[in-house]
């Protein structure tokens, strides 16, 4: 005899739309708590399968089913089940054909499953020949277009792609894809640092930092430094000019990225040309976050140590490096996903 949970799961693909919707609502409610998710583990695999079927059939049940899937995907064991069921390709099919209107939840699901390395590899289509990078190209295009066309305060269905970008750039393949010459993906990414949406800025800054931190090892340093506009975008959040960047994490990511570039000969030269010393001096004046200040101070020290080969060194940048505040301010990029949702 079927258990109550098994019966509940069975109703998710009932021919009657109202029954599917009622069942999906109950399941979504259960997944809103850790206790509920634990209870559902007894029917984990059939539940995930039926939820996807419910999503594909549309109607009122589709959104509740997606809410349940997003909440369940916070559990690594459920993520493995989802990946074994080809979740990435299925979500991308929904996004491409527009058959499912709940883009915010679809992209939130991708943000959660790409916390897993396997999820990142599936999204990047690693090892799939000419198909490699196709999913990411589609996502980036929709992400950037959304950033241009949406007005401040409007619902942003593709904002969770920012978290996806942070996640996939933890892999060398993801970083190389974004920095591939001629594709313009880096330019598209840095443009999001000026978005009104803080989630977009946070995700973009995390992805840029990931790319910069491993640039020498990945062989992509030239790709970053050759894009002068990208460097200007990277300096913008930390140059102290209005409108000021309110997110500490964004400023810290960019300050640390600039520090890494300044440690290389070519990077230092390009930063000089981009006016980095003056930008750092102005940004430092009112900066309060310890991590941002520390990165700025270390960058200034690097510029000072090479000042004999460049007469552009200014008293301001010297003062930044020797600031007594350095002794007082000490700082004691996580993978990103979508938060658990209620009904």
């Amino acid at each position: 005899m079927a258990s109550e949970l098994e019966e509940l799961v069975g109703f998710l693909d009932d021919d009657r739309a109202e029954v599917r919707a009622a069942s999906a609502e109950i399941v979504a409610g259960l997944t809103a708590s850790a206790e509920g998710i634990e209870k559902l583990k007894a029917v984990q695999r059939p539940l995930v399968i039926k939820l996807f079927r419910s999503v594909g059939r549309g109607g009122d049940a589709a959104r509740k089913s997606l809410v349940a899937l997003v909440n369940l995907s916070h559990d690594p064991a459920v993520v493995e089940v989802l990946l074994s069921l080809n979740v990435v390709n299925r979500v991308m099919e929904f996004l491409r054909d527009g058959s499912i209107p709940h883009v915010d939840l679809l992209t939130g699901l991708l943000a959660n499953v790409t916390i897993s390395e396997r999820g990142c590899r599936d999204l990047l289509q690693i090892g799939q020949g000419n198909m490699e990078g196709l999913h990411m190209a589609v996502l980036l295009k929709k992400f950037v277009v959304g950033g241009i066309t949406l007005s401040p305060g409007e619902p942003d269905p593709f904002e969770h792609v920012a978290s996806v970008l942070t996640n996939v750039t933890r892999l060398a393949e993801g970083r190389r894809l974004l920095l591939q010459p001629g594709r313009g993906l880096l330019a598209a990414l840095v443009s999001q640092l000026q978005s009104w949406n803080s989630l977009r800025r946070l995700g973009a800054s995390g992805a840029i930092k990931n790319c910069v931190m491993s640039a020498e090892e990945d062989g992509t340093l030239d790709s970053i430094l050759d894009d002068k506009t990208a460097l200007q975008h990277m300096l913008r959040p930390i140059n102290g000019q209005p409108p000021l960047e309110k997110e500490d994490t964004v400023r810290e990511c960019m300050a640390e990225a600039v520090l890494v570039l300044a440690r290389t000969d070519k990077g230092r030269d390009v930063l000089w040309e981009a006016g980095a010393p003056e930008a750092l001096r102005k940004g430092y004046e009112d900066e309060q976050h310890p991590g941002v200040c520390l990165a700025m101070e270390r960058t200034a020290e690097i510029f000072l140590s090479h000042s004999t080969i460049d007469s552009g060194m200014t008293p301001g940048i010297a003062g930044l490096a020797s600031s007594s505040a350095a002794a007082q301010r000490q700082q004691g990029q996580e993978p990103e996903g979508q938060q658990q949702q209620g009904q």
Side-chain angles (χ1 to χ4, degrees):
M1 184 175 177
S3 69
E4 290 183 3
L5 281 179
E6 289 171 333
E7 289 182 353
L8 177 63
V9 171
F11 287 137
L12 285 169
D13 63 357
D14 194 276
D15 288 337
R16 295 163 294 179
E18 65 276 14
V19 173
R20 293 199 305 276
S23 178
E25 185 167 5
I26 294 171
V27 171
L30 287 170
T31 63
S33 70
E35 295 78 8
I37 291 177
E38 187 64 31
K39 184 182 295 186
L40 290 168
K41 283 186 176 180
V43 290
Q44 185 171 274
R45 189 175 183 85
L47 172 62
V48 169
I49 292 172
K50 293 295 180 72
L51 285 171
F52 261 114
R53 287 180 185 170
S54 176
V55 171
R57 296 181 73 172
D60 293 339
R63 185 169 185 86
K64 290 296 183 182
S65 295
L66 273 171
V67 167
L69 285 167
V70 169
N71 289 344
L72 286 167
S73 64
H74 287 87
D75 187 315
V78 176
V79 169
E80 287 303 310
V81 174
L82 286 165
L83 292 172
S84 72
L85 295 171
N86 204 24
V87 60
V88 170
N89 286 335
R90 297 180 75 174
V91 168
M92 290 305 302
E93 286 173 11
F94 289 143
L95 290 174
R96 276 198 186 88
D97 63 28
S99 59
I100 305 299
H102 313 298
V103 172
D104 57 333
L105 292 171
L106 290 169
T107 54
L109 184 56
L110 286 179
N112 286 348
V113 300
T114 53
I115 290 175
S116 155
E117 180 176 336
R118 179 181 172 187
C120 289
R121 298 182 74 84
D122 283 0
L123 184 60
L124 293 168
Q125 297 165 287
I126 294 172
Q128 297 184 32
N130 293 334
M131 298 293 287
E132 279 193 358
L134 181 59
H135 286 340
M136 282 307 306
V138 170
L139 278 180
L140 263 175
K141 181 178 180 180
K142 292 180 179 294
F143 179 62
V144 173
V145 169
I148 295 171
T149 58
L150 292 173
S151 300
E154 273 192 86
D156 187 349
F158 285 98
E159 64 184 4
H160 295 299
V161 175
S163 297
V164 173
L165 291 168
T166 300
N167 293 342
V168 299
T169 51
R170 289 182 290 118
L171 273 62
E173 294 90 344
R175 297 191 294 270
R176 292 191 187 104
L177 173 68
L178 283 173
L179 299 174
Q180 203 170 72
R183 299 190 71 170
L185 299 182
L186 177 62
L189 185 60
V190 296
S191 70
Q192 299 305 304
L193 291 173
Q194 275 69 58
S195 171
W196 55 266
N197 186 322
S198 61
L199 186 56
R200 282 176 175 262
R201 300 197 309 277
L202 286 164
S205 65
I208 293 166
K209 176 184 171 182
N210 287 345
C211 289
V212 171
M213 297 294 277
S214 302
E216 282 195 291
E217 179 183 345
D218 293 341
T220 56
L221 182 63
D222 286 347
S223 297
I224 295 172
L225 295 176
D226 288 346
D227 192 333
K228 302 302 188 292
T229 302
L231 289 175
Q232 293 292 343
H233 279 294
M234 290 168 61
L235 288 168
R236 178 67 190 79
I238 56 174
N239 68 5
Q241 299 301 303
L244 299 177
E245 173 55 62
K246 297 178 180 180
E247 297 292 338
D248 292 343
T249 300
V250 174
R251 299 196 312 280
E252 187 170 19
C253 282
M254 291 303 92
E256 291 179 349
V258 169
L259 171 59
V260 170
L261 293 178
R263 285 172 172 158
T264 69
D265 292 338
K266 184 175 180 180
R268 195 163 48 252
D269 291 343
V270 173
L271 285 170
W272 271 115
E273 293 174 9
E278 179 65 8
L280 288 170
R281 184 188 68 78
K282 290 182 177 178
Y284 187 82
E285 289 176 354
D286 297 314
E287 182 58 59
Q288 297 297 318
H289 188 272
V292 182
C293 290
L294 184 59
M296 286 180 161
E297 290 159 4
R298 287 178 173 173
T299 304
E301 288 168 1
I302 292 172
F303 283 135
L304 274 172
S305 68
H306 291 82
S307 60
T308 56
I309 60 172
D310 193 313
S311 59
M313 177 60 69
T314 66
I317 200 71
L320 187 164
S322 60
S323 170
S324 61
Q328 302 171 19
R329 291 185 286 215
Q330 294 184 0
Q331 182 197 26
Q333 184 83 60
E334 293 292 323
E336 297 187 31
Q338 187 188 36
Q339 293 184 349
Q340 196 168 56
Q341 300 194 6
Q343 296 184 65

